Amino acid sequence: MKRSLGFVLTLFALLALAACSGSKAEGPKIVIENAWGRPSPKVATAGAFYMTIRNEGSEDDALIGADSDACGTIELHESYMKEGGAMGMRPVPGGKIVIPAGETVELKMGGLHIMCIDKQIDFQPGTKVKLILHFEKSGDIPIEVEIRNPMK
Amino acid sequence: MRNRTFWLGFFGTLLLVGLGWWAWDRFRPYAFHGTVLQSNEPAPDFTLMSADGPVSLSDFRGKIVLLYFGYTFCPDVCPTTLTELKRAMELLGEDADQVQVIMVSVDPERDTPEKIQEYVEYFWPTFIGVTGTPEQIAEVATQYGIYYEKREVPGATGYLMDHTATVTVIDRDGYVKLIFPFGTPGEDIAADLKYLIEH
Ligand SMILES: [Cu+2]
């Protein structure tokens, strides 16, 4: 009887430990890939950044904003087709881009993009733009955006 | 004997299928990637302001004109289309001089002739950018069935323009021939233009 109680206690402790270490792996895990922006003439005062955002974690997260010295202001936008086929652009509904757990969200031409307003530098091919992404749960993630021509 | 009949039939059928295929491929009507329009009236002429002075559509009779409406503050949709047009020009090679791209600003408040010209030239040296008074732009847009609307947005952009992002193709005789929807690949545009140049 004593022995079995010890056994149950040990088992319980082990389970608790497993649960604790397991909780460390919980939460969002954001991976950014292929961040790029199009080269643009000086006269174009705004630019757009595109990238792939993957959430390898077990909890949803959301991109809520970004900062860069290369831009006066940054907004999260999406281009969308209006009724009748015209194209419009608007700040993303809700002000954030949700990255669900286990899923990948593409910021791409003609869709979601990070809009760089009042470009402070010239976007020449080869330029690297430092960008800090703000996530709701993962916090700040610094990345580098490559200015290059779109690839097919 | 039975064997010979079999092989004769086999190769005969193969030959017929091959011939049929070749004939179909050779003589079928060309299928345009863009939407084909049958216009009875020539495309409406207009005169707008470029960095080098007034530009009229009729200046380009004999060339294929690609008309696109956009604005320089547009960082996503317009550059995407202009990049496809650039791609088409690259693919056309020597025939590119038969084609004139004209971008009309739907944001005359912010786009001067110099600004829109610098913008389009960045994509291809022969592209022309034009603008005008708000009334002139409204008239041309209406004539070509282009919708655009200024929309105030919260945030730093002040306002954005929603606009039809199609490309209108006017043939060498001055008739609207094709419409390319937003997102048409440069390869498809080049194929259609090549057909128009050769026929
Ligand atoms: Cu935008």
Side-chain angles (χ1 to χ4, degrees):
Chain A
M1 193 62 201
K2 242 183 188 172
R3 230 177 100 196
S4 63
L5 185 71
F7 177 76
V8 169
L9 275 174
T10 313
L11 199 72
F12 193 77
L14 273 172
L15 275 171
L17 257 173
C20 281
S21 60
S23 75
K24 262 187 205 159
E26 270 173 30
K29 184 170 183 287
I30 297 296
V31 180
I32 312 286
E33 273 166 356
N34 196 21
W36 71 284
R38 200 197 304 267
S40 57
K42 270 204 184 103
V43 68
T45 51
F49 301 139
Y50 310 102
M51 63 196 67
T52 302
I53 306 177
R54 209 168 59 233
N55 186 351
E56 293 179 349
S58 56
E59 201 182 321
D60 295 355
D61 204 347
L63 179 63
I64 50 174
D67 272 303
S68 173
D69 290 341
C71 315
T73 315
I74 289 184
E75 291 176 4
L76 306 178
H77 278 189
E78 68 176 345
S79 298
Y80 65 109
M81 194 168 275
K82 302 184 66 167
E83 247 175 81
M87 294 301 292
M89 180 168 73
R90 63 186 169 200
V92 290
K96 59 185 185 181
I97 299 170
V98 176
I99 321 289
E103 284 184 36
T104 300
V105 173
E106 295 278 354
L107 277 57
K108 57 171 191 275
M109 291 184 284
L112 293 167
H113 56 271
I114 294 173
M115 173 103 162
C116 170
I117 299 156
D118 286 326
K119 279 160 45 193
Q120 303 291 305
I121 58 164
D122 220 6
F123 284 12
Q124 296 289 348
T127 305
K128 306 265 192 224
V129 177
K130 284 196 189 330
L131 185 70
I132 297 166
L133 300 175
H134 308 307
F135 284 89
E136 211 166 54
K137 289 174 191 146
S138 302
D140 289 356
I141 299 180
I143 61 159
E144 219 175 46
V145 179
E146 188 194 356
I147 301 300
R148 60 163 172 82
N149 283 303
M151 284 194 278
K152 280 268 159 177
Chain B
M1 197 60 197
R2 247 179 71 211
N3 239 342
R4 222 179 113 197
T5 320
F6 169 79
W7 285 116
L8 260 174
F10 181 76
F11 284 114
T13 311
L14 216 63
L15 188 72
L16 274 175
V17 168
L19 266 173
W21 192 341
W22 174 82
W24 177 74
D25 199 57
R26 177 77 180 74
F27 298 110
R28 76 186 147 148
Y30 177 75
F32 283 102
H33 298 90
T35 308
V36 180
L37 294 188
Q38 301 288 357
S39 344
N40 300 315
E41 302 274 313
D45 198 15
F46 58 80
T47 304
L48 291 169
M49 196 50 85
S50 81
D52 292 326
V55 162
S56 300
L57 175 66
S58 49
D59 297 346
F60 304 101
R61 194 62 48 85
K63 279 193 182 192
I64 294 168
V65 174
L66 269 55
L67 208 56
Y68 179 69
F69 292 73
Y71 64 120
T72 66
F73 190 75
C74 170
D76 184 39
V77 169
C78 305
T80 299
T81 303
L82 288 167
T83 302
E84 297 304 338
L85 293 179
K86 171 195 175 170
R87 176 91 190 112
M89 296 302 263
E90 283 169 357
L91 290 168
L92 283 172
E94 278 185 9
D95 286 335
D97 61 6
Q98 310 270 327
V99 176
Q100 180 62 57
V101 171
I102 302 177
M103 176 163 160
V104 180
S105 172
V106 292
D107 187 11
E109 247 178 84
R110 284 188 290 207
D111 290 341
T112 61
E114 290 73 26
K115 229 177 138 181
I116 187 108
Q117 184 58 36
E118 198 183 321
Y119 186 76
V120 294
E121 254 177 39
Y122 191 80
F123 294 91
W124 194 260
T126 66
F127 287 3
I128 294 176
V130 292
T131 182
T133 64
E135 294 76 28
Q136 287 174 318
I137 300 294
E139 195 190 335
V140 179
T142 308
Q143 283 170 331
Y144 283 89
I146 302 294
Y147 150 93
Y148 67 98
E149 191 184 10
K150 183 174 165 176
R151 194 163 41 84
E152 310 282 339
V153 286
T157 43
Y159 67 90
L160 296 168
M161 304 299 300
D162 295 342
H163 59 98
T164 311
T166 53
V167 175
T168 306
V169 180
I170 298 155
D171 68 15
R172 281 182 286 207
D173 302 323
Y175 287 80
V176 174
K177 178 74 187 168
L178 291 173
I179 304 282
F180 291 119
F182 174 69
T184 305
E187 284 73 9
D188 292 357
I189 295 173
D192 284 5
L193 294 179
K194 203 158 185 65
Y195 181 85
L196 287 179
I197 289 166
E198 287 169 358
H199 290 82

